[in-house]
């Protein structure tokens, strides 16, 4: 089992769930979780949802992928309050998460995964 889990943070629950479904097709052995939408299924992100998802990982490291800047703001807040090793990936949401998940499933080295993610960097 990989030592890295993947967290998907989206403003829309269906987007988070859809990307989760896509990633599970190529990375069945990788822990992947989504924290998408607000508590009342509205559009937005939730510190509490993200924090709860981060806390639930058993893996020592979590790579977080997000769709928009305000999702990153909540991820930044969670990263400041958790003891978990949360690494926010500033890459395109779907493509970046897909590449990371598929390569983790294939037991690729972290260096090779980072090399593949580099062209997908958005900030």
């Amino acid at each position: 089992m990989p030592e890295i889990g993947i967290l998907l943070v989206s403003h829309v629950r269906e987007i988070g769930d859809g990307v989760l479904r896509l990633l599970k097709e190529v990375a069945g052995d990788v822990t992947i979780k989504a924290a998408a939408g607000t508590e009342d299924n509205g559009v937005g992100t939730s510190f509490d949802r993200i924090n709860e998802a981060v806390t639930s990982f058993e893996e020592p490291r979590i790579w977080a992928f997000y769709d928009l800047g305000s999702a990153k703001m909540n991820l930044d807040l969670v990263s400041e309050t958790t003891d978990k090793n949360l690494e926010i990936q500033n890459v395109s949401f779907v493509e970046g998460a897909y590449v990371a998940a598929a390569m983790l499933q294939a037991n690729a080295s972290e260096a090779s995964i980072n090399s593949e993610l580099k062209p997908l960097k958005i900030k």
Side-chain angles (χ1 to χ4, degrees):
M1 182 165 107
E3 295 285 311
I4 298 170
I6 292 179
L7 175 62
L8 306 170
V9 179
S10 173
H11 280 70
V12 177
R13 181 178 214 140
E14 293 85 357
I15 292 173
D17 291 346
V19 175
L20 174 67
R21 182 176 170 205
L22 175 67
L23 270 54
K24 280 303 195 181
E25 286 293 314
V26 297
D29 296 326
V30 178
T31 301
I32 306 167
K33 300 180 182 196
T38 61
E39 283 83 358
D40 62 356
N41 281 331
V43 174
T45 60
S46 161
F47 171 90
D48 291 333
R49 275 193 156 176
I50 295 167
N51 190 52
E52 182 179 306
V54 166
T55 303
S56 71
F57 277 90
E58 293 181 14
E59 290 75 9
R61 295 174 61 204
I62 305 159
W63 286 357
F65 296 84
Y66 62 94
D67 61 358
L68 299 169
S70 58
K72 183 181 185 306
M73 289 184 343
N74 268 329
L75 278 165
D76 286 335
L77 289 172
V78 169
S79 72
E80 293 172 8
T81 61
T82 186
D83 293 336
K84 299 277 188 167
N85 186 347
L86 180 62
E87 300 172 35
I88 302 167
Q89 302 293 325
N90 295 308
V91 298
S92 58
F93 181 54
V94 177
E95 295 89 343
Y98 186 89
V99 165
M103 293 184 77
L104 285 169
Q105 178 67 35
N107 292 314
S109 71
E110 191 170 337
S112 64
I113 297 171
N114 286 328
S115 176
E116 292 297 317
L117 290 177
K118 192 171 188 172
L120 301 174
K121 195 167 184 79
I122 56 173
K123 295 186 180 10

